[in-house]
């Protein structure tokens, strides 16, 4: 038998989470964000399962080309836009849409010729990563309006920096700046990411851009996915490959950072950082063995982790283990490891086979 380590991808949970985005922002069109290989879930399968959305958003050309070559027909938006002049021919060839966030990208379009490309002009309203200053909107729209290479009308967008924190007033400030610069323009707009969709109804506008919520993960610092009616899409699972009785004082694993406080059963699980389980998950990080929470002990190795089985004395070789997913939110593991659920989902490695369940085809 092959190694039991698997990522189970529940496509019906994915569609359920889309229905939550729709219910929360009923008047908005949906641009489903499937960058970074669909947050590590497999962008083509995710796109097929979400085929009723209005558009997809990806970070870069290669991600978009992968989707088009797999037959995905919806509009696809390049969230970082074009970087090199040669990108524009590919953008046309694959019928993609561009975010324009910098005057240099307008220069590229001015020097270009060919069929008009749909464009989203991105404003920097306070994130200070990508976008033009709100004060330059009129000038940039004027330049874009003169170009045969740009489909009219242009749409407008911005990105929220702190929407995951409901107490933070940055979101209201960003909204105010966006509205001050765009309210009179009568153009389509898009502001909300997942946190905006779930917590900030004023951000909903013509289009919303859900990412992490589609995968069943909470975008918030202070509330779980289940409280937002989201269901985890990925369950990372494995099995016990050894159960050993260790003696009081025995060190466990590399560096011996954990010593058994008593004679106790220690389980060894076939998962490690070589699979994308975070190496920084400390002793105490929860793991489900036979559906029961037990603590990880000692360091995470490349292929294995160890757990304290004192609360699970009946556990034996071959018993099922869940590292995150159903009944164990990835947010919780991420928080233990000093990161966010987004990163853990993106970094499951090629060694792990993916099983897609509840597909429509
Ligand atoms: C990644 C991204 C999103 C989605 O963000 P989530 O927090 O995952 O919902 C939306 N818009 C832009 C521009 C993005 O880069």
């Amino acid at each position: 038998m092959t190694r039991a380590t698997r990522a189970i991808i529940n496509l019906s949970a994915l569609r359920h989470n889309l229905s939550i985005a729709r219910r929360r922002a009923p008047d908005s069109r949906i641009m489903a964000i499937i960058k970074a290989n669909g947050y590590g879930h497999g962008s083509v399968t995710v796109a097929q399962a979400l085929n009723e959305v209005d558009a997809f958003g990806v970070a870069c050309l290669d991600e978009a080309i992968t989707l088009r070559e797999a037959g995905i027909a919806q509009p696809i938006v390049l969230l970082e836009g074009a970087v090199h002049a040669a990108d524009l021919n590919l953008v046309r060839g694959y019928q993609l849409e561009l975010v324009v966030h910098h005057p240099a990208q307008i220069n590229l379009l001015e020097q270009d010729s060919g069929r008009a490309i749909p464009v989203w002009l991105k404003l920097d309203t306070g994130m200070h990563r990508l976008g033009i200053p709100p004060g330059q909107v009129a000038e940039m729209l004027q330049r874009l309006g003169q170009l045969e290479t740009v489909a009219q009308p242009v749409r407008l967008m911005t990105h929220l920096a702190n929407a995951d924190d409901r107490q933070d007033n940055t979101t209201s400030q960003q909204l105010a700046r966006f509205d001050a610069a765009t309210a009179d323009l009568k153009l389509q707009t898009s502001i909300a990411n997942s946190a905006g969709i779930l917590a900030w109804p004023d951000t909903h506008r013509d289009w919303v851009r859900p990412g992490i919520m589609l995968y069943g993960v909470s975008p918030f610092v202070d509330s779980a996915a289940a409280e937002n009616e989201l269901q985890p899409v990925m369950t990372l699972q494995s099995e016990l490959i050894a159960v050993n009785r260790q003696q009081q004082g025995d060190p466990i694993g590399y560096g011996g950072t954990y010593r058994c406080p008593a004679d106790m059963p220690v389980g060894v699980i076939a998962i490690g950082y070589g699979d994308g389980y975070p190496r920084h998950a400390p002793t105490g990080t929860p793991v489900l063995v036979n559906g029961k929470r037990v603590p990880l002990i000692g360091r995470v190795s490349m292929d294995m982790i160890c757990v304290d089985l004192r609360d699970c004395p009946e556990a034996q070789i071959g018993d099922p283990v869940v590292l995150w997913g159903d009944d164990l939110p990835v947010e919780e593991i991420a928080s233990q490891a000093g990161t966010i659920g987004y990163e853990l989902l993106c970094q499951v490695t090629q060694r792990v086979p993916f099983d897609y369940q509840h597909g429509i085809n």
Side-chain angles (χ1 to χ4, degrees):
M1 212 184 108
T2 58
R3 192 163 179 254
T5 311
R6 293 255 173 303
I8 309 298
I9 306 297
N10 180 346
L11 296 172
S12 95
L14 181 73
R15 288 189 295 273
H16 163 84
N17 297 331
L18 172 63
S19 78
I20 299 296
R22 275 198 199 294
R23 206 192 308 154
R24 296 295 189 94
D27 302 322
S28 303
R29 283 187 243 183
I30 295 195
M31 182 195 302
I33 305 300
I34 59 173
K35 62 198 182 194
N37 194 27
Y39 290 47
H41 294 66
S43 65
V44 170
T45 314
V46 165
Q48 286 164 342
L50 297 180
N51 69 346
E52 72 274 37
V53 300
D54 304 286
F56 292 110
V58 297
C60 57
L61 255 175
D62 302 276
E63 293 179 346
I65 292 172
T66 299
L67 293 169
R68 279 284 182 259
E69 302 215 312
I72 303 301
Q74 279 89 349
I76 299 177
V77 181
L78 295 186
L79 295 170
E80 295 173 7
V83 184
H84 307 285
D87 294 349
L88 296 179
N89 278 333
L90 289 167
V91 166
R92 269 195 203 90
Y94 287 97
Q95 305 214 27
L96 308 176
E97 303 189 1
L98 281 179
V99 167
V100 166
H101 56 75
H102 196 279
Q105 294 178 316
I106 304 185
N107 298 345
L108 291 182
L109 288 161
E110 281 169 348
Q111 287 150 22
D112 186 54
S113 59
R115 195 172 43 76
I117 298 170
V119 161
W120 297 75
L121 181 62
K122 183 168 190 174
L123 282 64
D124 173 16
T125 53
M127 174 123 176
H128 299 132
R129 193 180 57 182
L130 293 183
I132 58 153
Q136 294 177 14
V137 172
E139 178 196 340
M140 298 301 157
L141 283 176
Q142 212 247 338
R143 282 178 67 186
L144 290 166
Q146 293 170 347
L147 297 179
E148 285 180 3
T149 50
V150 172
Q152 308 296 333
V154 167
R155 286 165 284 184
L156 301 169
M157 65 180 286
T158 193
H159 194 47
L160 299 171
N162 296 20
D164 58 328
D165 183 349
R166 297 170 212 253
Q167 314 310 323
D168 191 310
N169 67 0
T170 308
T171 302
S172 313
Q173 290 170 357
Q174 287 194 258
L175 263 184
R177 287 186 199 120
F178 187 81
D179 287 340
T182 65
D184 298 337
L185 296 172
K186 307 269 185 301
L187 296 173
Q188 285 189 26
T189 61
S190 175
I191 303 175
N193 54 5
S194 297
I197 292 166
L198 294 170
W200 303 88
D202 288 353
T203 65
H204 289 175
R205 310 304 163 99
D206 301 291
W207 291 78
V208 292
R209 307 190 307 270
I212 196 74
M213 70 177 291
L214 297 174
Y215 308 98
V217 175
S218 169
F220 298 112
V221 285
D222 63 352
S223 86
E227 291 167 45
N228 295 289
E229 302 176 85
L230 303 173
Q231 299 172 1
V233 174
M234 181 192 292
T235 294
L236 184 62
Q237 64 181 39
S238 185
E239 65 182 1
L240 282 172
I241 57 168
V243 177
N244 298 312
R245 274 213 81 78
Q246 310 294 9
Q247 307 302 305
Q248 180 174 19
D250 282 347
I252 302 295
Y254 287 118
T257 56
Y258 177 90
R259 279 179 193 272
C260 294
D263 294 0
M264 58 192 261
V266 170
V268 183
I269 298 165
I271 192 95
Y273 62 80
D275 303 294
Y277 191 84
R279 185 175 172 281
H280 291 108
T283 289
T285 301
V287 174
L288 294 182
V289 173
N290 290 326
K292 188 157 188 204
R293 278 179 182 239
V294 299
L296 182 149
I297 56 177
R299 281 195 192 142
V300 172
S301 323
M302 188 181 291
D303 315 312
M304 285 172 270
I305 59 173
C306 295
V307 289
D308 171 356
L309 288 178
R310 281 178 292 177
D311 287 341
C312 223
E314 73 299 340
Q316 27 176 319
I317 292 176
D319 282 358
V321 172
V322 167
L323 289 311
W324 65 63
D326 285 332
D327 304 317
L328 184 57
V330 69
E331 298 91 305
E332 210 178 318
I333 310 307
S335 145
Q336 292 274 346
T339 181
I340 53 176
Y342 296 74
E343 186 185 23
L344 297 189
L345 295 178
C346 284
Q347 70 184 17
V348 174
T349 66
Q350 298 255 325
R351 179 163 76 182
V352 178
F354 278 52
D355 269 1
Y356 291 94
Q357 297 187 347
H358 311 295
I360 25 185
N361 316 315

